[in-house]
Amino acid sequence: MLGRLWRLADEAPLAVRVFVALAALLVVTITATSATLLYNSANTLRDEAEANAVRLAELLADSYAEMGEISLANVARTLDATLDTQMTAQARVAAEMVAAAEAAGYDAARLNATLDEITRDTVIDEFWITDEVGFSYLTNVKDEAGARVPFRFDPDPAVQPQASKFFVLLAAPPDDDGFIVQPAVVREIDNDIVKYVGVGGVDQSRIVQVGNLFNFGDQEILSNLAASERGDVSDVIEGILGQQMTGQAELVRRFVAAAEEGGWSAAKINERLLHIAGTTVIGEVRVADASGEVLYSNLPASETPDLVGAMPYFEEFAAALGGSSLFHEHPSEPRPSDGLVYKYVAATDPDKQRMVQVGILIESSYGNLLYSVYQREADVLVRSQNIDTIWIVNQDRELAAVAPRLALQSGDDQASLVEQFESGAGVMVQTAMADQRVTSRASLSLFSPETRGIVVAAPIINTGGIAIGALAIEVGLDEIAGTVIREGLNTTAIAFLLLVLTGGGALWGSRKLTSPIETIAEAAKQVEGGTQPESREMEVVLRRGDEIGRLARVFSDMTVQVFNREEELEKLVAARTQELEASNRQLRLAYEAMEQDLEMAKVVQAALVQQGNTNVGNLTGHARMTPAQMVGGDLIEMHVPEAGKLFVALGDVSGKGVAAALFMAASSAAIRAASADPIGVDVIAADINNRLCAENPMGLFVTCLLAIFDLETGTVEYTCAGHDPALLIKPDGNRESLPTTGDMAMGIMEDFDYSSRRAQLAPGDTFFVYTDGLTDAVNRKGKLFGHQGLERALDGAGKRSPEEMVNHIWSSIENFSEGTAPTDDKTCLVLRRRS
């Protein structure tokens, strides 16, 4: 009986069957157990996260409901954020006013008197304006004896915990756009609650700080605004905004008066008004005389053809300011001309000879300032809470706020958020408002991240039990999904370990079953060594009746055929070796021919690129191009299209090598053809772009700086087509980057309209333009040479000739990147106007 069983074992692959059976049983058991545990764990985590999201939505709904209730505490909570941008605008205009007044000869006493008048007539409470060392020599704040309070800003927080934060403004260069906003805090000297905002000086390093007192004790905030007659917090905030804008209008009026007294031109005053509008929340500034003529504005002249068209609601302002009032505000509403929601405030001179109007765009639904508060709160929640998206709708089911803010997203992201709301969250919001209850939906999909997450909608119900809106939040479940996936991977690792252990036991028990295979393997090794296998163990295997026996017999027959074919294979290998040697000789000849062609291409490209010294009119210069490979993609083009003009082009083709070199040649030809006539450089750029787009099968493009020099006047007209800006180097070594035109690289889109700018080369000035191969050089540590390295290499450039400048830059880059291969073509052009 035992012998029969053993013979059956010899005839069947038991080792494989035992191992497979054990492994399959273990896999099924572990998979079923783990899947059940993971499923239950995932559902528990999802349900817990959904419950937390529901609680969070309920709390947020209560918070947003409170924002709509008119109360001192609620107004105070939103007042601080509302004043940030308004007080920044006041400080910026105050800095302009002080600069204009001192330029006009105002002394400190007159300026202080002016500050007294401003704080008397507006909501602004304090001014602290310093010199370059931080001493506040201009202020309206006085002590009990009537003397102005002296104050010096100190950088040490231990000495001045509050004021020290503004000391960094002294380090900013004049006319810098930086500012510091400080939340309302208890002031160090008298424990009053004050909010301060500061900016740097316009004409010199200084601190220009404005302050507003928060008098909560007597509820000045509400009483001044007649809050009991208003509908909601939006009205209170609008009243506060109107008061702050009154201060801005009065400061602008004082600035213009000082500038006129100092003899400033209208163009200069308009330029400063444009700077104010560009760096503050103020959108529009207009100054008109009593006859209605607009004298100054930050808007282009084409937008102010007459008083009524240029100054919205002029008749209303003129009537309101015709009496004893010095200020008048118009409530925020959609403007008839374009539908944008603006708020306007005007100030007039005591003698009624001048009107100053300030306008601010209201960024909220229907101009409702409460929704601006909604939006700011939503922005904070998305940044600080575990919330991916939050939508807030008003009573009419229209979006009042969305975070992340739609204005900060790309078009696709913005459309996605709106579609997501309309298709999913919007439906839930409708249900929540109709039923006045919270609704939620959760999905924990491990393999579909786009459907994974929790969406909760909650109605916003006021104290009267009326649903005044609703909110919906989306909370991501990626972290929970990651936890579940990690648990699954851990379970898989444990299962694999168990399989290894089980396999070891099966291997130990099946050694007898695998010994015949080892015998065949030994025989195969002998065949590999070139000898015929002859052993008694192999003869025993050949007599087996199972699959191993059949395999052994097939192997034996194959061995005979192998030795018979060995001689034939040797002959075939010898013949194939001869063929390969012949092919290698042909490849070497082809490689040598290719090397010769590349050398010729390098010579041709060197002839195309206009390198070396140049002298044209009163310009002297030097150009150089060093390709990263045998041939490169950079180009330099210079020629005189007509007497007194010099056309210059420096470009960088995308990519490297032969393809870039061919496109560089095509680009050079297009540039020469388009610039044959000295028309505007923007027109030349458009012509070059159309030529390259018409013949660009490889889809390449070229960044380029084009310029036309007037050799007599030193004027340079230039266009930056996706290229780095040129540098203007003064004889004393000072450098500035010329503003780019922001145009697209050429060869990408046909019929693109390019623009141009102008610069002036004074005698001794140097025009320097380069490709990014100079800044992209790397050293052995992988560090870029960069713009800082180039700036260091340009130090002392005013004392070197153009060729010496280029030699110095090349030497600096080679020393920096010694031991590394070039990463890109290096090209630059230096042109200097003779003194």
Side-chain angles (χ1 to χ4, degrees):
M1 184 65 179
L2 291 175
R4 183 175 177 81
L5 291 175
W6 188 254
R7 284 194 300 274
L8 291 174
D10 286 341
E11 294 174 357
L14 294 180
V16 174
R17 292 185 180 183
V18 170
F19 178 77
V20 171
L22 292 174
L25 179 62
L26 186 61
V27 168
V28 170
T29 302
I30 293 178
T31 300
T33 303
S34 301
T36 302
L37 293 175
L38 287 174
Y39 178 78
N40 293 334
S41 176
N43 285 340
T44 301
L45 292 173
R46 181 201 63 197
D47 294 342
E48 182 179 351
E50 183 176 7
N52 291 333
V54 169
R55 287 193 292 271
L56 177 59
E58 291 173 341
L59 292 174
L60 293 180
D62 292 340
S63 175
Y64 275 98
E66 291 177 2
M67 292 181 194
E69 299 292 338
I70 194 72
S71 69
L72 178 62
N74 195 26
V75 172
R77 183 177 65 177
T78 58
L79 175 61
D80 188 79
T82 303
L83 293 181
D84 284 349
T85 55
Q86 303 305 318
M87 292 180 65
T88 301
Q90 293 167 358
R92 189 77 68 194
V93 183
E96 296 282 357
M97 183 198 71
V98 171
E102 291 189 340
Y106 286 29
D107 58 12
R110 184 177 177 184
L111 268 172
N112 281 327
T114 300
L115 298 180
D116 291 341
E117 294 171 357
I118 294 172
T119 54
R120 180 196 64 198
D121 296 335
T122 70
V123 74
I124 302 173
D125 291 314
E126 296 181 9
F127 286 98
W128 300 93
I129 303 172
T130 76
D131 55 17
E132 64 276 5
V133 296
F135 176 70
S136 179
Y137 69 102
L138 298 177
T139 182
N140 66 294
V141 181
K142 301 176 183 178
D143 58 20
E144 295 179 355
R148 300 190 187 273
V149 176
F151 186 78
R152 182 181 296 275
F153 286 81
D154 194 291
D156 189 354
V159 178
Q160 295 177 357
Q162 174 190 352
S164 61
K165 297 179 176 60
F166 294 89
F167 196 83
V168 297
L169 293 172
L170 293 176
D175 216 11
D176 185 70
D177 295 340
F179 60 90
I180 293 178
V181 174
Q182 192 175 70
V185 295
V186 177
R187 186 164 54 185
E188 305 151 1
I189 60 176
D190 54 13
N191 293 327
D192 283 342
I193 299 177
V194 186
K195 179 178 180 65
Y196 286 111
V197 172
V199 301
V202 174
D203 54 340
Q204 67 176 51
S205 295
R206 69 166 81 230
I207 299 171
V208 180
Q209 186 188 76
V210 297
N212 268 326
L213 291 171
F214 281 28
N215 295 324
F216 295 114
D218 55 8
Q219 298 195 7
E220 179 189 48
I221 297 170
L222 295 184
S223 61
N224 285 352
L225 299 173
S228 59
E229 301 177 3
R230 299 181 183 272
D232 58 21
V233 177
S234 176
D235 297 325
V236 179
I237 298 173
E238 176 156 349
I240 296 169
L241 177 60
Q243 291 181 336
Q244 296 300 317
M245 291 176 65
T246 298
Q248 297 161 14
E250 176 64 9
L251 283 166
V252 171
R253 186 182 72 80
R254 299 280 184 165
F255 157 68
V256 172
E260 288 180 335
E261 188 171 341
W264 287 19
S265 66
K268 185 174 181 179
I269 296 177
N270 288 338
E271 178 186 350
R272 300 317 301 175
L273 294 179
L274 180 62
H275 181 262
I276 291 172
T279 57
T280 69
V281 72
I282 298 174
E284 299 178 0
V285 181
R286 300 177 179 88
V287 181
D289 61 15
S291 67
E293 181 182 357
V294 173
L295 304 176
Y296 313 109
S297 174
N298 70 301
L299 302 174
S302 61
E303 297 185 16
T304 57
D306 55 70
L307 185 60
V308 177
M311 184 175 287
Y313 314 109
F314 169 71
E315 294 180 355
E316 171 190 329
F317 283 110
L321 297 175
S324 60
S325 175
L326 298 179
F327 307 104
H328 180 69
E329 66 173 281
H330 183 84
S332 59
E333 64 179 16
R335 198 163 54 183
S337 59
D338 53 16
L340 294 177
V341 180
Y342 264 82
K343 181 173 183 64
Y344 290 100
V345 168
T348 185
D349 286 334
D351 57 3
K352 314 302 181 185
Q353 297 301 310
R354 186 70 57 85
M355 182 188 296
V356 177
Q357 185 190 67
V358 173
I360 292 180
L361 176 66
I362 306 300
E363 295 181 315
S364 62
S365 301
Y366 313 107
N368 192 322
L369 290 173
L370 176 60
Y371 298 160
S372 294
V373 179
Y374 282 0
Q375 182 65 64
R376 286 196 295 271
E377 187 74 12
D379 293 338
V380 173
L381 289 171
V382 169
R383 289 194 299 266
S384 61
Q385 300 286 342
N386 186 25
I387 300 176
D388 292 341
T389 311
I390 181 169
W391 298 272
I392 303 170
V393 300
N394 58 19
Q395 194 169 10
D396 298 324
R397 273 74 166 174
E398 297 169 331
L399 280 174
V402 178
R405 189 182 296 232
L406 297 183
L408 303 179
Q409 301 173 22
S410 66
D412 293 341
D413 292 337
Q414 178 173 339
S416 175
L417 278 181
V418 175
E419 292 172 359
Q420 185 178 354
F421 175 76
E422 293 175 349
S423 62
V427 177
M428 297 177 64
V429 164
Q430 298 280 358
T431 302
M433 293 187 69
D435 299 342
Q436 291 199 6
R437 63 179 179 84
V438 178
T439 62
S440 63
R441 183 185 70 236
S443 173
L444 181 61
S445 176
L446 300 181
F447 305 106
S448 298
E450 63 276 3
T451 62
R452 183 191 306 152
I454 301 172
V455 179
V456 182
I460 301 175
I461 302 174
N462 64 11
T463 55
I466 299 174
I468 62 173
L471 62 83
I473 63 172
E474 182 185 29
V475 178
L477 292 177
D478 292 342
E479 184 175 352
I480 294 177
T483 300
V484 173
I485 291 173
R486 286 192 297 273
E487 289 297 326
L489 294 175
N490 291 338
T491 302
T492 302
I494 293 172
F496 178 76
L497 179 61
L498 292 175
L499 283 174
V500 171
L501 295 176
T502 304
L507 181 63
W508 177 81
S510 60
R511 285 297 297 171
K512 182 172 177 59
L513 296 176
T514 59
S515 59
I517 299 177
E518 294 178 355
T519 300
I520 296 175
E522 182 63 28
K525 186 181 294 185
Q526 294 177 12
V527 173
E528 184 182 6
T531 60
Q532 187 74 23
E534 294 180 0
S535 65
R536 286 187 300 176
E537 290 81 2
M538 190 63 186
E539 292 176 0
V540 173
V541 176
L542 288 170
R543 290 196 296 268
R544 291 173 65 98
D546 57 9
E547 291 87 347
I548 295 178
R550 290 196 297 272
L551 176 62
R553 289 188 288 273
V554 171
F555 174 75
S556 180
D557 295 339
M558 183 183 66
T559 301
V560 175
Q561 295 178 12
V562 166
F563 281 102
N564 290 336
R565 293 179 182 177
E566 183 178 354
E567 183 177 354
E568 182 180 354
L569 288 174
E570 290 179 354
K571 294 178 181 179
L572 292 174
V573 168
R576 184 58 179 165
T577 300
Q578 292 178 354
E579 293 176 1
L580 289 174
E581 290 177 351
S583 297
N584 287 336
R585 286 193 298 272
Q586 294 177 356
L587 287 175
R588 282 194 297 271
L589 293 174
Y591 177 78
E592 292 173 357
M594 183 179 67
E595 286 288 324
Q596 293 177 357
D597 290 343
L598 286 176
E599 285 291 340
M600 291 298 297
K602 182 176 181 180
V603 173
V604 172
Q605 187 180 48
L608 289 175
V609 177
Q610 298 179 1
Q611 302 188 66
N613 292 322
T614 183
N615 285 282
V616 179
N618 61 356
L619 292 180
T620 180
H622 187 81
R624 182 173 300 175
M625 193 277 282
T626 302
Q629 300 178 8
M630 291 289 290
V631 290
D634 287 357
L635 61 91
I636 303 173
E637 179 67 30
M638 289 187 294
H639 64 267
V640 178
E642 67 176 15
K645 303 287 185 180
L646 174 64
F647 174 80
V648 170
L650 186 141
D652 186 0
V653 175
S654 59
K656 304 180 187 68
V658 177
L662 292 175
F663 195 70
M664 168 266 183
S667 301
S668 295
I671 291 172
R672 285 193 295 272
S675 61
D677 296 325
I679 54 180
V681 71
D682 51 345
V683 179
I684 294 175
D687 189 5
I688 296 170
N689 178 61
N690 290 337
R691 292 171 184 265
L692 295 179
C693 289
E695 298 181 2
N696 190 7
M698 295 178 290
L700 299 175
F701 62 88
V702 58
T703 67
C704 196
L705 189 141
L706 310 173
I708 297 178
F709 291 81
D710 190 314
L711 300 178
E712 181 177 353
T713 65
T715 301
V716 185
E717 181 189 9
Y718 65 91
T719 293
C720 288
H723 202 77
D724 286 339
L727 296 178
L728 184 62
I729 305 173
K730 297 294 183 180
D732 60 1
N734 288 332
R735 299 182 290 275
E736 61 174 305
S737 294
L738 295 180
T740 67
T741 57
D743 294 315
M744 182 186 298
M746 296 186 290
I748 298 177
M749 183 175 71
E750 195 171 2
D751 296 328
F752 182 83
D753 292 331
Y754 288 84
S755 57
S756 66
R757 286 180 176 270
R758 291 181 177 272
Q760 180 67 40
L761 260 69
D765 286 357
T766 302
F767 184 84
F768 178 77
V769 61
Y770 61 95
T771 64
D772 56 8
L774 274 65
T775 56
D776 288 349
V778 297
N779 60 15
R780 295 179 179 178
K781 297 180 179 179
K783 182 179 178 182
L784 282 173
F785 186 68
H787 291 281
Q788 292 182 350
L790 181 58
E791 290 287 343
R792 288 192 296 270
L794 287 172
D795 288 341
K799 300 178 180 179
R800 299 187 178 98
S801 69
E803 183 175 5
E804 290 173 342
M805 281 179 58
V806 176
N807 290 337
H808 183 69
I809 293 171
W810 253 243
S811 176
S812 299
I813 294 174
E814 289 171 359
N815 292 336
F816 175 81
S817 59
E818 183 179 2
T820 62
T823 58
D824 200 355
D825 306 331
K826 299 193 298 290
T827 305
C828 78
L829 170 64
V830 180
L831 289 173
R832 177 174 296 165
R833 186 180 179 189
R834 296 187 183 93
S835 301

